[in-house]
Amino acid sequence: TGTAQWTQIQTTNAPSARAGSAAAYDSARGQTVLFGGEVGFSFSDETWTYDGRDWSQAAPATKPKGRAEAALVMDSLRGVVLMYGGNAGGGPWGGPANDETWEWNGTDWKMLTPAATPGGLTRAGAAFDIGRNRLVVYGGVPDSSFPIASGNTWEFDGTTWTQITPADPPGPREGASMCYDVARNRVVMFGGLDPQVGGFKDTWEYDGAAWTRLPASVSGPVARTMGRMVYDTNRKVCILHGGMDPLNGNILNDVWQFDGKAWTLKTSEGAVGSPPKRGGAAVAWDFGRNKLVVFGGDGGSSTTLMND
C-alpha cells in the first residue's frame, strides 16, 4: 500500500520519439513488446523489446508494414503476441484502416490468414480474454478519413474472427480503454468517443455473451478517449492511465484503478513526479516486475513527440 510512484528509467537504447505505438507484455519471454507508431508524418515498422533495464530493437525476417494505433495483446495460451489493424496511412488524414492479423513469437512476425475479419479497424478497444482464449475487439474506426465509429464486437480464437451480436451493446465508439479482469473473468471497458455524439465516461463489462453497463453510481474518471488500461495481476485491479478529454482536447495524465466495484484515483492530474502530459503513449503492465510501463507519446502535436 501507499502512494503510487512514477520513476523515469534512463536506458542506453530506446526507440525514436513516436506516438501511437502498440505495446503488450510478452509473458512467455518476460519483456514488453512495442511495435510501430507515428514518427512525424510516417509510420514506423520497428519492433522493440524492453526488459525493465534497456530497450533492444529486434530484427525479424518478416515484419508488418508501419502503422499506428493497432491493437496488440498477449495470447498467453499460444505464447504469442497478437496484433490487429491500425492506421497505415493512405493520405494526409489517414485512410482505410489496416485489416491484417499478425502474431509475434519473440523472434519473427507471421501474418495470419483468417477466413473472416473485422474488415479493418484503428483505435479499437482490445483485450485478451484468458478465460475463453479469445482476443476481444470493440468499436474502432474503419476509415480515419471518415470519423464514423464502429459499434461491433469481434473475437479472434487463433484461427478466425467471429462477429458477436450481444443484446444492448455499448454503441459506436473509438478509443475506448479495455483490459481483461482475470479475477472476475470479465473484459472491462471505459469511455471512448463517438465522433457523431461526443465522449463517454461509462464503465462496461463483457462476459463473452453480453455487455453490461455498470450503474451510474460507479463513477470516477472524467470522459476520455484513447486512455490506456491494463490489468494489475498483483493487486487484481484494472489501471487506467491518461487519454484525451473529448470536450476540450486536453491531454490527461491521471491514474485510476477499478476493482470491479469502484474507481479510485491513484495519482491526480498533474501530480508531482508524474510523467509530462502525453497522448498516444505505449502502455503495458509488466507483471513480472509489477510495474506499469509507459513509453513515448506526443505532448499535443506531431512536433512534440517523446521517447522517454
Side-chain angles (χ1 to χ4, degrees):
T1 60
T3 305
Q5 297 290 327
W6 285 100
T7 303
Q8 183 175 2
I9 307 301
Q10 302 293 340
T11 62
T12 302
N13 304 291
S16 60
R18 63 192 64 197
S21 299
Y25 183 69
D26 182 346
S27 57
R29 284 155 283 274
Q31 56 192 10
T32 296
V33 177
L34 179 145
F35 181 81
E38 188 170 358
V39 183
F41 296 99
S42 62
F43 294 92
S44 171
D45 62 358
E46 297 173 347
T47 303
W48 289 80
T49 61
Y50 174 69
D51 62 5
R53 297 178 300 275
D54 203 6
W55 287 95
S56 300
Q57 184 175 359
T62 303
K63 61 183 177 181
K65 64 181 179 180
R67 67 197 64 194
E69 301 298 352
L72 195 73
V73 301
M74 178 64 192
D75 181 337
S76 52
L77 176 69
R78 300 170 53 237
V80 295
V81 174
L82 293 171
M83 182 170 70
Y84 176 73
N87 178 10
W93 304 107
N98 189 280
D99 191 31
E100 297 171 350
T101 305
W102 289 80
E103 65 178 29
W104 167 255
N105 64 8
T107 303
D108 207 2
W109 286 97
K110 176 184 177 182
M111 188 168 74
L112 307 181
T113 55
T117 71
L121 293 169
T122 187
R123 298 197 293 274
F128 189 79
D129 185 329
I130 298 172
R132 298 184 308 116
N133 297 315
R134 299 284 190 277
L135 164 58
V136 179
V137 169
Y138 187 84
V141 178
D143 190 331
S144 53
S145 300
F146 303 95
I148 299 176
S150 166
N152 296 330
T153 304
W154 286 85
E155 295 184 352
F156 180 68
D157 63 3
T159 302
T160 192
W161 287 93
T162 302
Q163 184 176 354
I164 311 300
T165 54
D168 302 320
R173 63 185 67 196
E174 61 172 276
S177 309
M178 280 173 52
C179 74
Y180 181 71
D181 187 326
V182 178
R184 298 186 306 115
N185 297 317
R186 296 285 189 276
V187 170
V188 178
M189 180 172 73
F190 178 82
L193 166 72
D194 181 349
Q196 311 304 314
V197 176
F200 303 103
K201 58 176 182 179
D202 47 0
T203 305
W204 291 77
E205 294 185 343
Y206 175 67
D207 62 3
W211 284 97
T212 302
R213 182 176 181 175
L214 274 62
S217 59
V218 183
S219 61
V222 298
R224 68 192 62 205
T225 180
M226 301 309 294
R228 312 299 192 189
M229 190 154 65
V230 297
Y231 186 70
D232 178 340
T233 52
N234 183 46
R235 295 185 302 118
K236 299 179 174 57
V237 293
C238 300
I239 297 181
L240 173 67
H241 171 60
M244 184 186 75
D245 186 329
L247 294 177
N248 53 30
N250 288 341
I251 297 173
L252 305 168
N253 74 338
D254 50 354
V255 179
W256 292 78
Q257 74 175 31
F258 179 67
D259 63 3
K261 297 179 180 179
W263 285 97
T264 303
L265 180 65
K266 296 300 292 183
T267 63
S268 59
E269 182 70 21
V272 175
S274 293
K277 292 184 178 183
R278 66 197 61 212
V283 177
W285 179 260
D286 182 335
F287 63 78
R289 299 184 304 120
N290 294 319
K291 305 287 186 183
L292 177 70
V293 179
V294 175
F295 173 81
D298 68 76
S301 72
S302 60
T303 61
T304 55
L305 296 176
M306 305 174 182
N307 76 330
D308 52 344

